Amino acid sequence: MRPNLARMTDNKTALITGANKGIGFETARRLAELGMTVLVGARDRERGQRAVAGLRERSADAHLVLLDITDEASIAAAAGDVSAHFGRLDVLVNNAGIGNASQPPSQQSLPQMRELFATNFLGAVAVTQAFLPLLERAPAARIVNVSSSLGSLGLASDPTSRIADWNALFGYSASKTALNAFTVRLAHELRSKNIKVNSACPGYVATDLNGHQGLRTVEQGAAIIVTLATIRESGPTGGFFDDAGEVAW
Ligand code: NAP
């Protein structure tokens, strides 16, 4: 971290978890392009440093924050570092996620489902709780939970929807449904504060998560996340959005 530089620029600071690659990296790149100091959350130092170097090559004010979102000690250390060096946080993007080990509901392995929930749901909750005091110090903080339309019960229960047949991804989908519940409840809890909380669906994006089977680019996937990370005071809180607008819960 280069604290002095961040202090001097006195701009907004954004932490993106799982920003060493994929949609998270692209989100960091876009937020840096908008003038934010970006904190690249990465659980692996080498992968994180490579991402930071890639962002700095593009003139970004980027810093590595070592952060494994399933590890309480790592989360506490990261929050302590960011507090010491930056003093506050304007934007938190809970992007880190895993997608492996999903199966149909009748066969979903419980140990694998625990892993999915540990990262995609509990990890995001734990990171948010740890960074909330820093977000509360910002004049208008934004939290974006990177969810998925697969977590939408409205779409899953509609036999004509595009995701109705995606039953094979039950564990993953349920972890995103839980994440959406966190969005709604946290937004309500923070409604009297200047912090907006929303869920974003990036669409089906070609990344390592799906063996690059996705049909969208990371640029397209990151767009709604960047929008929600930068929404104005008059913008929504406690919502679920993709590029086309509101997604059914
Ligand atoms: P990706 O390329 O596989 O990136 C996932 C990122 O999360 C990586 O940086 C990974 O770090 C990190 N991560 C995983 N577990 C972590 C942990 N315990 N602690 C810290 N970081 C961790 O996948 P992606 O497609 O960009 O996914 C980003 C987000 O978008 C996920 O939440 C995903 O569910 C969501 N999403 C993706 C799609 C899609 O079609 N791709 C659709 C809807 C939603 P390592 O490099 O160290 O593994």
Side-chain angles (χ1 to χ4, degrees), residues 16-26 41-45 47-48 66-71 74 94-99 115 118-120 123 127 145-150 166 172 175-176 179 200-216 218 221 225:
I16 303 98
T17 66
N20 55 287
K21 66 178 181 180
I23 297 167
F25 179 84
E26 177 60 15
R43 60 179 160 177
D44 178 88
R45 184 181 294 278
R47 288 197 287 272
L66 262 188
L67 176 54
D68 181 335
I69 68 163
T70 61
D71 179 340
S74 168
N94 283 312
N95 166 78
I98 55 171
E115 262 178 48
T119 303
N120 297 352
V127 169
N145 292 324
V146 182
S147 183
S148 166
S149 58
L150 290 174
W166 284 63
Y172 176 80
S175 71
K176 295 296 187 180
L179 181 64
C201 172
Y204 191 32
V205 176
T207 64
D208 288 350
L209 190 88
N210 51 37
H212 293 261
Q213 297 298 300
L215 304 174
R216 311 186 81 214
V218 287
I225 301 170

Side-chain angles (χ1 to χ4, degrees), residues 82-95:
V82 174
S83 178
H85 293 117
F86 297 92
R88 71 164 204 241
L89 190 65
D90 296 276
V91 172
L92 170 63
V93 180
N94 283 312
N95 166 78

Side-chain angles (χ1 to χ4, degrees), residues 1-4 6-7 11-17 37-42 63-67 73-92 127 130-138:
M1 258 185 247
R2 290 182 301 168
N4 295 336
R7 277 268 181 235
N11 58 5
K12 290 190 173 171
T13 300
L15 169 65
I16 303 98
T17 66
T37 294
V38 290
L39 308 182
V40 173
H63 309 266
L64 173 63
V65 172
L66 262 188
L67 176 54
S74 168
I75 295 170
D81 278 356
V82 174
S83 178
H85 293 117
F86 297 92
R88 71 164 204 241
L89 190 65
D90 296 276
V91 172
L92 170 63
V127 169
F131 282 87
L132 204 49
L134 291 177
L135 291 157
E136 284 172 344
R137 284 186 213 149

